[in-house]
Amino acid sequence: MQKAEQQELFKQIMGNYPTGVTIVTTTDENGKPVGLTVNSFASVSLDPLMLLWSIDHRVSSLKAFTEGGKFAVHVLAGEQQELCKTFASKVEDRFSGCDWSLSENGLPILDGAFGVFECKTFKAIEAGDHTVLIGEVIDLQVTPEKDPMLYHRRVFGPIPEEFYTPKQPVL
Ligand SMILES: Cc1cc2nc3c(=O)[nH]c(=O)nc-3n(C[C@H](O)[C@H](O)[C@H](O)COP(=O)(O)O)c2cc1C
């Protein structure tokens, strides 16, 4: 099979793989908050708590994430579609239209997420056209009355009702 054909199949399979959606934030060298929408997020380790995500080398805030040493991962709630779109867009100041604050760890935290992980970078691994960032969790919070967002075939939104019938316990 030709490389281009393999890449098409790869995108087809990955694009059909359902995920949640996160927004990852940090500050750049001037202290300006930066962030992007990310679905390459995954759990890595329970002891110590570790997670990962990967960043495309073309992303404008690449340096802030690979050299900044820390980042915050927001697991979006179902109703945060506008935020998801803004942080996936080319909008220069993505933070001006939303409520956020700086945490004790100096990370920009967006209001309204289902869950937030604040991390220090454990390792940054170059992998093809992306860098995989592994973070060690230094702080975390959850809003259990919210439900996370679902992403499938470029559509994102709340988890459909039938997934909650009967409502399964989280653990
Ligand atoms: C659902 C979704 C998931 C995404 N996941 C990633 C990802 O895991 N890594 C990444 O680098 N970009 C990802 N992107 C693209 C970035 O959000 C987008 O390229 C970024 O906002 C562009 O930032 P820039 O304008 O600062 O370069 C995703 C976009 C969407 C809509």
Side-chain angles (χ1 to χ4, degrees), residues 8 13 118 120 167-170:
E8 275 317 303
I13 296 167
E118 291 184 65
K120 62 175 184 193
K167 180 133 185 162
Q168 299 292 331
V170 174

Side-chain angles (χ1 to χ4, degrees), residues 22-83:
T22 70
I23 291 175
V24 189
T25 61
T26 192
T27 49
D28 69 10
E29 57 200 358
N30 303 312
K32 186 183 140 217
V34 293
L36 71 156
T37 298
V38 160
N39 75 338
S40 54
F41 166 72
S43 161
V44 172
S45 162
L46 193 57
D47 187 16
L49 297 178
M50 285 186 180
L51 53 79
L52 67 75
W53 63 288
S54 63
I55 184 166
D56 192 314
H57 290 162
R58 294 169 299 184
V59 168
S60 62
S61 50
L62 176 70
K63 198 167 153 231
F65 283 105
T66 53
E67 295 179 10
K70 60 185 177 182
F71 55 83
V73 180
H74 304 72
V75 175
L76 294 189
E79 69 274 10
Q80 292 185 296
Q81 287 113 323
E82 281 311 310
L83 211 58

